[in-house]
Amino acid sequence: MLNPRLTAVASFLPKGTSFADIGTDHASLPIFAVQSGIAKYAIACDFNEGPYLGARQNIKNAQLEEKISVRRGSGLEPLRASEVDIAVFSGMGGLLINELLKNSPAVFKSLKGLILQPQLAADKVRKNLYELGWHIKKEALAKDSDHLYQIIFALPGKKPVPSDFSLKIGPCLLQERPASLWDEYLDGLIKREEKIICGLKNSCATTEETLKEKIEFLEQLENLKND
């Protein structure tokens, strides 16, 4: 059984797809997706030896060695172009996700979709997708162990770039405002910005322009919360 975070990630996998789970850890997502009939084939990738060996053992225990390949390597590097439809990056920092996408251009160009769950810097992930000629199709929020996670489903193809505010919030989240977690999500963003502003005010290196931008963003968040 998947945790709520990976359950939300799995919900974006198209029926009958093939996908690579980058940073697979225990291979929980590939095993679930294949066993439940969502995916016809999966590749579980991890850079570190421990998770790689653990994934191999878990897949062997599930008797899914013919449907799930396990590979060791960084990002998309273990893959060949057009080998899978979807790549999943979950549980890693947003800046790392951006770097890994750029490191394997041939494989990246062959993908039909991305499912991304950045731990940090989700706004930079969104901005990078549009810079790479992709666009965001769907987004979701998931709560797991008192933490809120953002999940992004992106497709290739240029679309108008959302505003900076939308990229920070999530363009689809901003439009749909998911009822169960929306207020909690905004509260978290507001608290984070208040903490950042407090730190900036106490720093002698802070520029007036930077502080002004942060205060304006906080005001936008508060207005959105009160809508």
Side-chain angles (χ1 to χ4, degrees):
M1 189 68 181
L2 295 179
N3 61 35
R5 177 178 65 89
L6 288 180
T7 298
V9 170
S11 70
F12 284 147
L13 286 168
K15 181 78 172 178
T17 193
S18 59
F19 77 100
D21 185 27
I22 309 302
T24 194
D25 198 11
H26 296 92
S28 301
L29 180 63
I31 290 171
F32 169 82
V34 170
Q35 284 182 335
S36 61
I38 297 172
K40 59 184 179 182
Y41 174 70
I43 301 175
C45 302
D46 210 291
F47 178 75
N48 297 306
E49 182 179 12
Y52 164 75
L53 293 175
R56 284 185 60 179
Q57 187 60 51
N58 288 340
I59 290 164
K60 182 178 180 179
N61 293 344
Q63 299 182 339
L64 291 174
E65 293 161 293
E66 293 185 2
K67 291 189 176 182
I68 305 176
S69 172
V70 190
R71 300 179 192 175
R72 188 178 177 190
S74 176
L76 300 171
E77 290 177 1
L79 308 178
R80 298 185 297 274
S82 303
E83 193 172 16
V84 294
D85 297 328
I86 306 286
V88 176
F89 291 76
S90 64
M92 62 184 75
L95 296 181
L96 177 58
I97 291 173
N98 289 348
E99 180 183 346
L100 295 177
L101 291 177
K102 292 175 181 177
N103 285 348
S104 302
V107 175
F108 173 69
K109 188 177 179 180
S110 73
L111 293 172
K112 298 177 182 177
L114 287 166
I115 302 172
L116 311 174
Q117 184 271 296
Q119 300 287 76
L120 298 167
D123 58 325
K124 291 180 172 58
V125 171
R126 294 184 181 103
K127 184 177 181 181
N128 184 57
L129 287 169
Y130 284 90
E131 289 175 348
L132 293 172
W134 283 54
H135 64 276
I136 297 171
K137 181 67 174 177
K138 298 178 184 176
E139 293 177 296
L141 296 171
K143 187 174 182 179
D144 192 355
S145 301
D146 293 326
H147 291 283
L148 279 183
Y149 298 96
Q150 303 168 57
I151 299 97
I152 301 164
F153 179 51
L155 298 174
K158 290 187 176 182
K159 291 283 181 74
V161 181
S163 67
D164 286 344
F165 183 72
S166 291
L167 291 174
K168 289 176 182 177
I169 304 297
C172 297
L173 295 176
L174 187 57
Q175 182 177 3
E176 297 172 8
R177 306 187 185 191
S180 60
L181 295 172
W182 178 246
D183 285 344
E184 188 174 347
Y185 176 55
L186 286 183
D187 286 339
L189 291 176
I190 289 170
K191 289 178 182 177
R192 185 191 69 183
E193 291 305 310
E194 288 175 339
K195 187 175 180 179
I196 291 172
I197 288 170
C198 182
L200 290 173
K201 286 180 177 179
N202 294 325
S203 172
C204 58
T206 302
T207 65
E208 186 176 336
E209 183 179 356
T210 299
L211 184 57
K212 182 181 178 182
E213 288 177 358
K214 283 294 180 181
I215 291 173
E216 287 178 351
F217 179 54
L218 177 59
E219 290 174 349
Q220 287 179 297
L221 287 173
E222 290 172 339
N223 290 335
L224 183 61
K225 177 70 187 295
N226 294 326
D227 273 354

